[in-house]
Amino acid sequence: QSALTQPASVSGSPGQSIAISCTGTSSDLGSYDLVSWYQHHPGNAPKLLISEATKRPSGVSSRFSGSKFGNTATLNIYGLQAEDEAAYYCCAYAGDNTFVFGSGTKVTVL
Amino acid sequence: QITLEESGPSLVKPARTLTLTCTFSGFSLYTSGVGVGWIRQPPGEALEWLALILWDDDKRYSPSLKNRLTVTKDTSKNQVVLIMTNMDPADTATYYCAHRFGYGGFDSWGQGTRVTVSS
């Protein structure tokens, strides 16, 4: 069960849109649509942004959007804001009630 | 409102056993579909899923750590306990517990507890 692959860093200017990919295998992302995304500011608890690949929990900004195709899930952040500067992690269901997190992506707002 | 709080030792010697407690409120492990997971983050590294315990006492572990992990629950006390044996300096990390319901993600997290493994 290896970590899902994410780009180490993504950057963008305020107002721009960015995309963060999360690539897995046929055993996790390829088999289930149960992928979630988390925002993690240093020193804080991670925050759920997206669940079940595309569902945004109540209270999460509509600037965050999730999608999935095959073995790859994607988190889009629209209208980038300074407060979006954080680490982002995907997490996939790997069957049998086990999970695997991604390698993490550091988002920098230029 | 769901809250979770991790507690346990901040310093553990190598080869010893770590016991962490997650005390929660705002939900019950009597409720069908509810689970509590454990996740850790070593300094400068990514999040790593460790274990999950469900309302029906089903328990799941990371394949790479399952020989060292045990998770239990005390439903009446609203607590979940994680035990990790044979601690190593590589286990130095912030350990989080988190709530999950059904097929959703981990929607509420504790603030985490920092554990250092050192002699």
Side-chain angles (χ1 to χ4, degrees):
Chain A
Q1 195 182 52
S2 300
L4 308 172
T5 301
Q6 298 181 234
S9 62
V10 174
S11 62
S13 299
Q16 285 187 330
S17 298
I18 61 172
I20 301 170
S21 61
C22 170
T23 302
T25 68
S26 57
S27 298
D28 40 61
L29 281 177
S31 292
Y32 309 96
D33 288 338
L34 301 177
V35 56
S36 50
W37 287 92
Y38 302 86
Q39 178 189 61
H40 193 196
H41 287 106
N44 289 354
K47 176 186 177 182
L48 177 66
L49 297 175
I50 300 289
S51 67
E52 297 176 70
T54 61
K55 297 181 179 179
R56 197 170 49 245
S58 173
V60 173
S61 172
S62 58
R63 298 187 299 105
F64 297 94
S65 175
S67 62
K68 176 182 166 293
F69 182 78
N71 292 353
T72 300
T74 302
L75 175 71
N76 286 281
I77 307 177
Y78 302 104
L80 203 60
Q81 299 178 1
E83 67 210 49
D84 299 332
E85 188 160 295
Y88 291 80
Y89 295 91
C90 57
C91 177
Y93 182 77
D96 205 23
N97 267 322
T98 64
F99 300 86
V100 58
F101 275 90
S103 49
T105 299
K106 170 72 173 126
V107 168
T108 300
V109 181
L110 302 171
Chain B
Q1 180 191 2
I2 291 175
T3 65
L4 304 98
E5 183 175 4
E6 307 85 353
S7 58
S10 59
L11 182 64
V12 177
K13 294 185 185 304
R16 296 290 178 91
T17 295
L18 171 69
T19 300
L20 295 175
T21 300
C22 175
T23 303
F24 57 84
S25 64
F27 68 94
S28 172
L29 271 170
Y30 286 116
T31 303
S32 178
V34 171
V36 172
W38 286 93
I39 300 102
R40 72 178 179 181
Q41 183 178 36
E45 298 186 28
L47 297 172
E48 178 185 15
W49 176 76
L50 300 177
L52 175 73
I53 187 164
L54 297 172
W55 84 102
D56 59 358
D57 209 34
D58 189 15
K59 303 164 187 177
R60 303 293 170 173
Y61 301 103
S62 165
S64 62
L65 291 167
K66 64 178 181 179
N67 292 335
R68 299 174 53 207
L69 293 175
T70 302
V71 62
T72 63
K73 63 181 175 72
D74 186 329
T75 308
S76 64
K77 290 185 178 179
N78 281 354
Q79 290 183 331
V80 171
V81 172
L82 179 74
I83 298 170
M84 180 179 287
T85 61
N86 194 24
M87 293 292 284
D88 182 271
D91 296 314
T92 293
T94 297
Y95 287 75
Y96 298 94
C97 61
H99 168 271
R100 181 176 183 258
F101 180 77
Y103 293 114
F106 294 102
D107 55 14
S108 295
W109 296 59
Q111 280 300 113
T113 187
R114 177 70 184 262
V115 177
T116 299
V117 183
S118 174
S119 54

